[in-house]
Amino acid sequence: MAAAPVWSVDPRTGKQREQVAVEATAQEVDAAVRAAHEAREALADRTVRAAFLRTAADELEAARDGLVETADAETALGPVRLTGELARTCYQLRAFADIVDEGAFLDVVINHPDDTATPPIPDLRRYKVPLGVVAVYSASNFPFAFSVPGGDTASALAAGCPVVVKAHPDHPGLSEYVAKVLRRAAARHDLPAGVVGLVHGFEAGVELVKHPLVAAAGFTGSVRGGRALFDAAAARPVPIPFHGELGSLNPVVVTEAAAAERAEEIGAGLAGSMTLGVGQFCVKPGLVLAPSGAAGDALLKSLTDAVSDTDAGVLLDHRMRDNFVAGVAERTALPDVDSPVTPGAGGEHTVSAGFLTVPASRLARAGEHDLLLEECFGPVTVVARYEDDTEVEAVLSRLPGNLTATVQLSQEEAAGQGRGAELLRELTPLAGRVLVNGWPTGVAVAPAQHHGGPYPATTSTSTSVGGTAIERWLRPVAYQNAPEALLPPELRDDNPLGLPRRFDGRLER
């Protein structure tokens, strides 16, 4: 039986562009994983890893025009957005190179023997080592930053883990292009091509997470797909860590005082955030708690005006477009749900942005309106109008885990008067990132960033963005009473590599 072809498809027309690959067989997945497994030792040298990551960024920048053109043809996200995303991806690769050079991620801790302690302490030396081959599952909505060269790949390589990437079917041509660029960068440092493997196909993705030489997995995608892979990772004879980003509603609470103070600004800001990238950001605000009354009405007017001026857009593929249209229709059919600007089909290949409103009391208790508490991928948000703080608390108490939660406060509330601090406390259990007077779309690559949250936002407590994303692909190991001559250089007393470490209780740099 011939392998199924992998086609590049133009989302603007729904037509096939070209065949770029074939779906990988189980034997081909096995070969890719084994090649990655054999490349582990080649990545052991931190100096080589850091240089490779920087060269990868250089090579991606050198190929920018061709990469952006290919990405736009397969995603319709536009050259401006894609150029910015590629720049972010290159910055991320270089940021991880700096982390590798610094070495603090190894968490070196050395304790010399102490017979006076109770119980006595032997000679103990602890640091972190790479897990092994990492399976990376590409995202549809970020063809650079969360796909073949994205955060999972960059952080895994920084940790010393080769990767095998399962390409997303929405941008297979770009995936092949990027993989070739990364392998070219690897070759410049005499690294084998197996450090970055690539496979296509649904069944290949299933085979990948089950492969006995795969030590961990990173995923960005839907709740359904991510949960299936998560369960498969846990059901293996030897379970592995599965770091999945699955779905998020990203709630926003607008206080009455904030709406009264700057309704027009909040409405316009919300419109910009919920329609950014045709509403295909994982941190799109999908539920907004806004006050009833005049202040809330003014906010809705501003939101209506801004969303009405938004052009129809193309989603990443026609399946997503169909799901969006059907999802909006199902939601607008619910009792007491209105659509001041009706979202839905904008044309044969496009969708139009809009928003729905509903009394918050409908969401405060379980029932048919629970659908409004589920993510709808695309340019739509739900505005729940509340009568008092009790309704806000009731709705928040029913929300699942999220990547972000946002509160819009007045100047006085932001200065510590009113319910500002209390709202932050209520939102903190719901999300990995809590914003004040901002919008969640836009995830800065920074050391303090956290892109994760309680389930179903993610399946672990880790982040997929920022320097600490490297921790996902490492495990600690301690050596007890090991002779100095046998220890890895990172754990020797004389610190030949100049690593930051904690030495007999003191932090050294």
Side-chain angles (χ1 to χ4, degrees):
M1 180 177 175
V6 175
W7 290 91
S8 173
V9 177
D10 183 349
R12 294 180 173 94
T13 64
K15 295 181 179 179
Q16 293 177 340
R17 297 176 60 246
E18 60 178 339
Q19 181 182 340
V20 298
V22 295
E23 294 186 358
T25 64
Q27 292 76 19
E28 289 167 334
V29 172
D30 177 66
V33 173
R34 291 188 182 279
H37 185 71
E38 292 171 2
R40 291 173 303 147
E41 287 302 315
L43 282 176
D45 188 317
R46 287 192 302 119
T47 302
V48 172
R49 293 208 304 268
F52 168 39
L53 291 169
R54 293 191 177 98
T55 300
D58 293 343
E59 293 283 354
L60 288 170
E61 286 178 341
R64 179 187 60 196
D65 292 348
L67 290 170
V68 168
E69 181 181 1
T70 302
D72 184 48
E74 292 189 319
T75 68
L77 289 173
V80 174
R81 149 71 195 275
L82 290 165
T83 299
E85 186 185 328
L86 180 58
R88 177 191 190 276
T89 301
C90 294
Y91 175 85
Q92 185 166 244
L93 287 163
R94 294 187 176 109
F96 276 114
D98 292 342
I99 289 169
V100 173
D101 279 340
E102 181 194 54
F105 73 97
L106 294 170
D107 286 343
V108 177
V109 182
I110 295 176
N111 287 123
H112 285 106
D114 184 356
D115 293 336
T116 67
T118 305
I121 297 174
D123 187 277
L124 287 168
R125 295 154 191 261
R126 177 185 187 273
Y127 77 147
K128 291 181 177 177
V129 298
L131 288 175
V133 179
V134 171
V136 173
Y137 293 82
S138 292
S140 61
N141 54 343
F142 284 90
F144 293 119
F146 284 84
S147 294
V148 177
D152 286 348
T153 294
S155 58
L157 292 172
C161 297
V163 300
V164 178
V165 183
K166 190 272 180 187
H168 197 280
D170 280 351
H171 38 82
L174 178 67
S175 298
E176 288 285 340
Y177 195 164
V178 169
K180 289 177 183 176
V181 172
L182 295 182
R183 289 170 186 152
R184 185 163 64 238
R188 288 181 56 182
H189 299 280
D190 296 323
L191 292 170
V195 296
V196 180
L198 182 71
V199 296
H200 297 266
F202 176 82
E203 291 299 329
V206 175
E207 291 291 332
L208 188 57
V209 80
K210 293 180 178 180
H211 197 287
L213 294 181
V214 167
F219 171 91
T220 303
S222 68
V223 173
R224 181 180 178 184
R227 183 55 194 254
L229 290 171
F230 175 66
D231 291 346
R236 291 169 36 133
V238 179
I240 59 171
F242 183 89
H243 300 284
E245 179 189 326
L246 310 188
S248 185
L249 197 60
N250 305 301
V252 178
V253 177
V254 182
T255 68
E256 186 169 6
E261 186 175 274
R262 48 193 179 87
E264 184 174 351
E265 175 190 332
I266 294 172
L270 173 58
S273 186
M274 60 158 281
T275 61
L276 186 64
V278 202
Q280 297 174 112
F281 277 46
C282 51
V283 287
K284 179 202 73 176
L287 175 69
V288 182
L289 285 157
S292 299
D297 291 344
L299 189 159
L300 254 64
K301 182 182 184 305
S302 173
L303 178 62
T304 298
D305 292 344
V307 173
S308 297
D309 287 340
T310 303
D311 294 333
V314 177
L315 294 185
L316 291 160
D317 61 41
H318 279 58
R319 176 185 58 83
M320 292 182 187
R321 178 188 176 278
D322 293 344
N323 288 342
F324 173 75
V325 173
V328 166
E330 190 176 1
R331 287 163 172 79
T332 55
L334 294 171
D336 291 334
V337 172
D338 294 321
S339 52
V341 181
T342 303
E348 185 180 358
H349 306 291
T350 61
V351 296
S352 59
F355 70 96
L356 314 178
T357 62
V358 65
S361 58
R362 284 287 196 175
L363 304 181
R365 58 185 182 274
E368 60 185 340
H369 287 75
D370 287 357
L371 179 63
L372 299 177
L373 302 182
E374 298 178 12
E375 179 183 11
C376 186
F377 194 72
V380 63
T381 195
V382 175
V383 180
R385 304 292 298 273
Y386 65 86
E387 298 292 338
D388 53 36
D389 295 340
T390 301
E391 287 190 351
V392 173
E393 294 171 7
V395 174
L396 292 179
S397 70
R398 301 199 59 238
L399 296 187
N402 292 271
L403 294 169
T404 71
T406 301
V407 61
Q408 298 288 340
L409 303 174
S410 68
Q411 287 186 352
E412 287 189 355
E413 290 169 329
Q417 302 178 42
R419 291 189 68 235
E422 182 181 347
L423 279 170
L424 252 64
R425 286 194 296 271
E426 292 176 9
L427 292 176
T428 296
L430 296 178
R433 179 163 57 107
V434 179
L435 297 89
V436 178
N437 290 351
W439 298 104
T441 39
V443 184
V445 179
Q449 185 59 272
H450 186 82
H451 189 62
Y455 185 85
T458 52
T459 60
S460 70
T461 59
S462 302
T463 179
S464 61
V465 180
T468 54
I470 196 174
E471 296 173 358
R472 297 174 295 168
W473 321 120
L474 300 162
R475 68 174 181 88
V477 59
Y479 293 91
Q480 182 169 328
N481 295 333
E484 180 93 0
L486 303 183
L487 286 168
E490 292 87 351
L491 297 180
R492 294 175 186 169
D493 279 348
D494 60 353
N495 197 12
L497 303 180
L499 294 170
R501 60 183 186 170
R502 187 168 291 278
F503 191 85
D504 285 338
R506 301 185 311 275
L507 185 64
E508 296 182 350
R509 294 186 180 277

